[in-house]
Amino acid sequence: MPMNFGPDYVRAIAPYQGGKPISEVAREFGLQEASIVKLASNENPLGIPESAKQAMMAALEDLSRYPDSNGFDLKAAISAKFGVPTDWITLGNGSNDILELAARSLVSPGQSVVYSQYSFAVYPLATQAIGARAIVVAAKDFGHDLPAMRAAITEDTRLVFVANPNNPTGTFIDGEQIAAFIRSVPSHVVIVLDEAYTEYLSPSQRYDAFAWVAQHPNLIVSRSFSKAYGLAGLRIGFGIAQPGLTDLMNRLRQPFNVNSLAQAAAIAALQDEAFLKKSAEINAQGYRQLTAAFDQMGITYVPSVGNFVLFRAGDDDNAGAKVNLALLKQGIIVRPVGNYGLPQWLRVSIGLPEENEAFIVALKSVLA
Ligand SMILES: *Cc1c(COP(=O)(O)O)cnc(C)c1O
C-alpha cells in the first residue's frame, strides 16, 4: 500500500501555475534569452525603479543582520504616504502572504470562504491549504457579482476575497458598489479587498479603501509592490486593517517574513512618484496599442483596467493552449488561463511598446 502523507485537502490542491521563466523557454525551444519577450506575469516592463536599486545597494552592507522584524521604517513610510496609523499595517512577503495570513488567522478547517469565479488563483490555494470550504460565486461579465457574493455568505463563512481590479480578467467595480458591499457583509465575516493593481486606475476611478478601514473592523485592504512599483522579485506587499485584525495576522506571520533589501527598496519606491506616474502612462499607452490590434484583428477581449488584457484565442476547447504553444515557439510568453476555467482565452501583460509590437506580430502570424 503506498503511503499517503498529509491531509486529503492538501493532496487535493492543484499547484499554482506561474508564468514560464525566460530561461526555461530558451532551453525548451532553443531560443536566445535576449530574443524572448515575457508578457506572462503582470510584471512592470520598466524594470525596478532606479531609486530602489540605490536603496538596495546601500542596504547590502547590513545583510549579515536579520531584517527589522517590525519594519519600522517602511511602516513609517507607508503611514506617511497613505495617512494610516502604523498599527494598522501588516507587512507581507508579497501581498500573497497577506492573503494567506488572513485565511490562516481567521478561518478554521471546515468553515467557508467566498470568492468569485475567475478571480485570483491564490484565493482557492489559501482556502484549500487550511482545509476550509470554498464557495465560488459565478462571475458576471467576467467580474465579481457582488450581490450574489453577499447572498452566498453563510453562517460558517469567515472570509470573502474581492479583487479590484480583478486578475486575470481586468474587470473593475466602482468604489460606491464596493463600499455598499462592505456595509452589507455581516460583521462576523472579514473582507479582504485585494488592490494589487490599484495604482493603474485613472483618477476618476480611484476611491479610498483605507478610509473604509476606519469604519469597518472586518476589512483588510491588501497592496502589492510587485506591479506598478516594479519589485516583484523582492516579494513585498502589505495589508491595512484595524489593530484587531492586524494583531491577529502579525501573530501568525514569520518573524522575518520581509527581507532587508525588500524593505529598503519599498521605502524608496513608495516615494518615487515619477516612476509610478511613468508606469501608469506606459501602461495606458500599451493598453491602447494592444486593444487597437485586437480590434483590427477581430479578437474578443475583456476591457481591462489592470496591466494585462484577457483575450479570446479561438473557439476550440483548447484554443488557449494551442495559441500559447505557437507563441512560445516564436519566443513570446503569455499566460494560459485554462486553470481558471478559461481554456479558450489567454492573458497578455502590457509591456513596452516594442514588446507589445512583437507580441502583435507573432499573434498575427499564429492566427493567419
Ligand atoms: C499579482 C497579484 C497579487 C500579489 O502579488 P504579490 O507579488 O504577492 O504582491 C495579489 N493579488 C492579485 C489579484 C494579483 O494579481
Side-chain angles (χ1 to χ4, degrees), residues 257-280:
N257 61 334
V258 180
N259 70 75
S260 318
L261 293 184
Q263 292 188 34
I267 292 168
L270 266 182
Q271 293 159 353
D272 196 336
E273 293 295 339
F275 183 85
L276 266 189
K277 186 161 173 274
K278 196 169 169 203
S279 298

Side-chain angles (χ1 to χ4, degrees), residues 41-42 93-97 99 120 123 163 165-167 194 196-197 222-227 232 235-237 308 347:
S41 300
N42 302 345
N93 193 300
S95 61
N96 196 133
D97 198 14
L99 307 177
F120 189 40
Y123 308 155
N166 184 43
N167 171 25
D194 177 348
Y197 300 95
S222 68
R223 293 279 183 96
S224 176
F225 283 98
S226 300
K227 313 287 163 49
R235 311 307 304 126
I236 180 160
F308 54 89
R347 190 194 69 193

